[in-house]
Amino acid sequence: MPKILIVGGGYAGFYTAWKLEKQLRSGEAEVTMVDPLPYMTYQPFLPEVAVGSIEPRHAVVSHRRHLKTTNIVSGKVTYIDHASKTATIAPAAGEPYEFEYDIVVVTAGAVSRTFPIPGIADQAVGLKTIEEAVYIRDRMLTNFDKASTLPAGPERDRLLTVTVVGGGFAGIEIFAELRSFASALLKKYPELSFEDTHFHLIEAMGRIMPEVSLPTSHWVIKNLAERGAEIHLETQLSSAVDGRIELSTGESFESDLIVWTAGVMANPTVVRHTDLPIEERGRLRVRADLRVGTDEEIVEGAWGAGDVSAVPDLTGAGVGGYCVPNAQHAVRQGKLLAKNIIADLRGELPRQYYHKSLGAVAGLGLGIGVLQSGKIAVKGVLGWFAHRGYHGLAMPSWERKWRVLWGWWNNFWLGRDIVSLEAVQAPRAAFEEFAARPKPAVEAAPAEEPKKPVRAKAAKEPAEVTAK
């Protein structure tokens, strides 16, 4: 049987494996998927995870639960040598080894792209993983707990100041959700007032959310301003050393929570360690039919999709002629990729990827959202329902859908859970603090040299000598 190796288990990789399982004939191919994580993260839900609207485990999809016949390998592919059709796999435990394949599918996704701004690497957190979303939630709740015990002053202001860098969809959603979350938390913290909380979004361009129309983006800015949030347009972050934010405008302030959402880049672990063709922006060079190569030359047995690949956008709407890195494209590319691989195995021609964007939806906090589809814009409560409706249905598998929907239903009646579990970052701390330890061994005293025996004076009877 041909061996198919899928590198990465995110949107594109998971959907490719999922659809291959459903469409391959018995014995037609053997599929292996390699990913360091045991799940696929539904990234549009990360802002809601960060504010407690969705439980973290409900926003991920288990590989082993939903992929029945795919061989799952927990590890990383550290090199792809397509000339010899081998990949080096570094498993989660054990020594690296060579894996021979017939077809390779590169769907390794993207990671946060940062710039060498002082302090960012040490102080900021991204929003690409479920762990980052959980960290943001626990950090914010813990900061509220700390601030409630402090008098008004610089230290309390720092704890209650949130800074988001990047005004794209991800940045605006996490910014707006955190602002909404903070306003709701104030009801539980009578020691704090609305004026104590400060929210800043920093965007280098002259507008936010390029996926929506300019009037819609202006409405979002106005709505956030009315809710006490401040957006700094045409402003760059100069420094974040020790949490002190310095802007290109000369403004500065202290912030304890800094979230970085200013761009992504193709996973460097893969694209920098392969003989497959890479384009000038560091992404895998892919044709419109998702085969690796160019219009003139095809790399046989190699396919790519998702954020790691530069897939041509045949609709003409893509930036620079390529599909933008988002979930809408990655999911559909993964589904088509499975069909094209099967078509190729059966001697048929693959189809080209063509998808015209259905629009964009964003959640801006409980009861507030926007929907942009062509020239149609829906804002407010209807936009929020559109956001939840679209993503609730787009979540893979009915098992995951029901978990998300059930969580939303419970929160509607019971409210969001506001317990911080920040201590989970160091789960053994409490145990170590009180754990009994063996006492250090007492060193034995050095033995004294025996004294020489004392010879008794001559007597009628020999004297008894005792050596001390």
Side-chain angles (χ1 to χ4, degrees):
M1 286 191 296
K3 291 184 177 181
I4 302 174
L5 173 64
I6 301 176
V7 182
Y11 288 115
F14 174 81
Y15 270 93
T16 300
W18 204 23
K19 296 303 178 181
L20 282 174
E21 286 192 354
K22 296 179 180 180
Q23 298 169 20
L24 280 171
R25 297 167 186 155
S26 178
E28 192 171 11
E30 178 184 321
V31 182
T32 299
M33 188 175 75
V34 182
D35 194 278
L37 298 173
Y39 51 78
M40 183 211 88
T41 304
Y42 192 75
Q43 293 182 5
F45 279 157
L46 292 182
E48 290 203 56
V49 171
V51 298
S53 293
I54 295 177
E55 285 300 307
R57 284 185 176 84
H58 297 173
V60 298
V61 182
S62 169
H63 290 155
R64 294 187 181 274
R65 175 162 187 167
H66 295 282
L67 298 178
K68 308 297 184 182
T69 60
T70 301
N71 300 319
I72 308 294
V73 178
S74 180
K76 295 181 179 180
V77 171
T78 57
Y79 195 84
I80 300 174
D81 184 358
H82 194 65
S84 62
K85 290 195 173 181
T86 60
T88 303
I89 298 177
E95 296 298 320
Y97 61 91
E98 300 296 318
F99 181 91
E100 295 183 357
Y101 62 81
D102 298 291
I103 299 171
V104 66
V105 179
V106 183
T107 54
V111 299
S112 295
R113 180 194 61 177
T114 59
F115 304 105
I117 300 172
I120 283 298
D122 302 316
Q123 301 292 327
V125 61
L127 191 65
K128 290 289 291 179
T129 68
I130 197 72
E131 293 81 4
E132 289 172 326
V134 172
Y135 170 85
I136 292 170
R137 176 180 181 271
D138 288 341
R139 186 63 174 265
M140 187 163 176
L141 287 168
T142 300
N143 283 357
F144 265 72
D145 288 333
K146 292 178 180 178
S148 65
T149 66
L150 294 172
E155 189 174 355
R156 190 167 80 173
D157 287 342
R158 175 192 173 96
L159 290 170
L160 298 178
T161 298
V162 175
T163 303
V164 175
V165 185
F169 246 67
I172 290 296
E173 283 195 296
I174 186 64
F175 184 65
E177 289 282 3
L178 288 175
R179 174 65 272 184
S180 173
F181 190 37
S183 298
L185 284 176
L186 290 172
K187 300 175 184 177
K188 307 296 182 183
Y189 292 87
E191 307 89 346
L192 305 175
S193 66
F194 182 86
E195 289 71 23
D196 293 325
T197 59
H198 311 281
F199 283 76
H200 298 270
L201 183 133
I202 304 166
E203 170 54 48
M205 304 298 289
R207 62 163 297 178
I208 61 169
M209 304 173 74
E211 299 88 346
V212 303
S213 67
L214 194 60
T216 301
S217 70
H218 289 164
W219 179 88
V220 173
I221 293 175
K222 180 181 178 182
N223 178 269
L224 287 170
E226 291 172 349
R227 291 156 58 187
E230 186 173 355
I231 295 179
H232 306 263
L233 296 178
E234 297 183 334
T235 304
Q236 295 180 344
L237 177 64
S238 302
S239 175
V241 175
D242 296 329
R244 181 171 181 79
I245 303 297
E246 296 183 6
L247 305 181
S248 58
T249 58
E251 298 173 80
S252 64
F253 51 87
E254 299 277 342
S255 179
D256 193 70
L257 179 55
I258 306 169
V259 183
W260 179 275
T261 64
V264 297
M265 64 179 181
N267 191 330
T269 305
V270 174
V271 296
R272 295 178 186 174
H273 303 94
T274 181
D275 59 350
L276 293 171
I278 306 299
E279 51 96 59
E280 56 274 6
R281 293 192 62 184
R283 297 172 296 179
L284 188 68
R285 190 177 293 280
V286 174
R287 295 158 43 94
D289 58 10
L290 304 180
R291 287 184 285 187
V292 175
T294 63
D295 292 337
E296 296 76 26
E297 185 178 0
I298 300 172
V299 180
E300 293 294 339
W303 304 75
D307 295 354
V308 76
S309 302
V311 180
D313 190 340
L314 300 182
T315 68
V319 179
Y322 296 100
C323 296
V324 296
N326 63 23
Q328 192 173 144
H329 282 303
V331 168
R332 287 167 174 79
Q333 288 169 12
K335 293 178 180 179
L336 178 63
L337 188 49
K339 293 179 181 179
N340 281 353
I341 291 173
I342 293 173
D344 190 57
L345 287 172
R346 298 172 183 172
E348 303 169 4
L349 290 176
R351 294 192 296 111
Q352 292 187 328
Y353 177 73
Y354 182 95
H355 172 66
K356 190 173 182 180
S357 176
L358 301 175
V361 289
L364 305 176
L366 286 180
I368 306 173
V370 294
L371 161 67
Q372 184 79 50
S373 181
K375 295 183 179 180
I376 300 174
V378 180
K379 308 159 191 172
V381 175
L382 291 179
W384 180 71
F385 275 115
H387 161 76
R388 284 205 162 180
Y390 173 81
H391 287 300
L393 292 174
M395 186 71 177
S397 84
W398 280 104
E399 178 257 339
R400 292 286 103 178
K401 287 180 173 66
W402 279 117
R403 291 183 188 274
V404 171
L405 293 172
W406 186 247
W408 282 339
W409 176 255
N410 286 337
N411 285 347
F412 177 78
W413 297 103
L414 304 175
R416 291 179 288 197
D417 198 323
I418 61 170
V419 174
S420 170
L421 296 178
E422 191 179 44
V424 78
Q425 306 296 330
R428 297 187 65 251
F431 178 80
E432 289 179 336
E433 182 180 357
F434 301 105
R437 291 176 171 82
K439 296 180 179 179
V442 179
E443 295 183 5
E448 296 182 4
E449 294 183 5
K451 295 182 178 180
K452 294 181 180 180
V454 179
R455 189 178 295 277
K457 293 182 179 180
K460 292 181 178 179
E461 295 181 4
E464 184 179 339
V465 179
T466 302
K468 295 183 180 179

